[in-house]
Amino acid sequence: MYERCALSECEMVTMRCVWNLGNNATAFNVINMLAEDYGMVYKETTVYTFLKKLKEKGFIDTIRRGVTYYIPKISEEVFQKEMAKKLLNFWYNGDTAKAVEAVVEGEKLSRKDAKRIREALKQANE
């Protein structure tokens, strides 16, 4: 795993739109999803800039079929895991127990969530 460049909040939400749109990720569709799903209304040129930066940082590629389509080069799952590890290392010095405590402290966990956490911990110890 190589070290990826950090994404701004706007780039991260734009990237999420690309993941959610799948094979239909055009600038037009990204612009609409940003506005409708996230309440982020930008000029077209601004969204094109976000997409350009995502391509420069190696997160997406483009395919031209009459219109330009934006294709993820990294899956959302891989990105989430990378971000979680960065946060764990930065804020908790790699201390997983402290991170889990911080997330669940004061929260009412459902039985289902508690069971999933126990199962994840069990798998991590195998």
Side-chain angles (χ1 to χ4, degrees), residues 22 25 35 44-45 50 57 61 66 82-83 86 102 107 126:
E44 284 182 35
T45 54
F50 296 156
K57 292 179 179 184
D61 210 344
E82 286 180 7
M83 290 296 296
K86 281 183 180 182
E107 296 292 323
E126 291 179 351

Side-chain angles (χ1 to χ4, degrees), residues 104-120:
V104 300
E105 185 178 326
E107 296 292 323
K108 178 76 172 142
L109 290 179
S110 69
R111 288 179 188 244
K112 182 180 174 182
D113 285 345
K115 181 179 177 186
R116 287 176 58 201
I117 292 169
R118 280 193 298 276
E119 288 171 0

Side-chain angles (χ1 to χ4, degrees), residues 22-58:
N23 293 333
N24 295 315
T26 64
F28 178 78
N29 291 341
V30 170
I31 290 166
N32 286 335
M33 183 174 273
L34 284 168
E36 293 171 13
D37 293 3
Y38 298 98
M40 301 171 91
V41 179
Y42 296 107
K43 293 180 182 178
E44 284 182 35
T45 54
T46 303
V47 175
Y48 280 113
T49 300
F50 296 156
L51 292 165
K52 179 183 169 198
K53 295 229 181 232
L54 287 169
K55 186 172 181 177
E56 289 171 356
K57 292 179 179 184

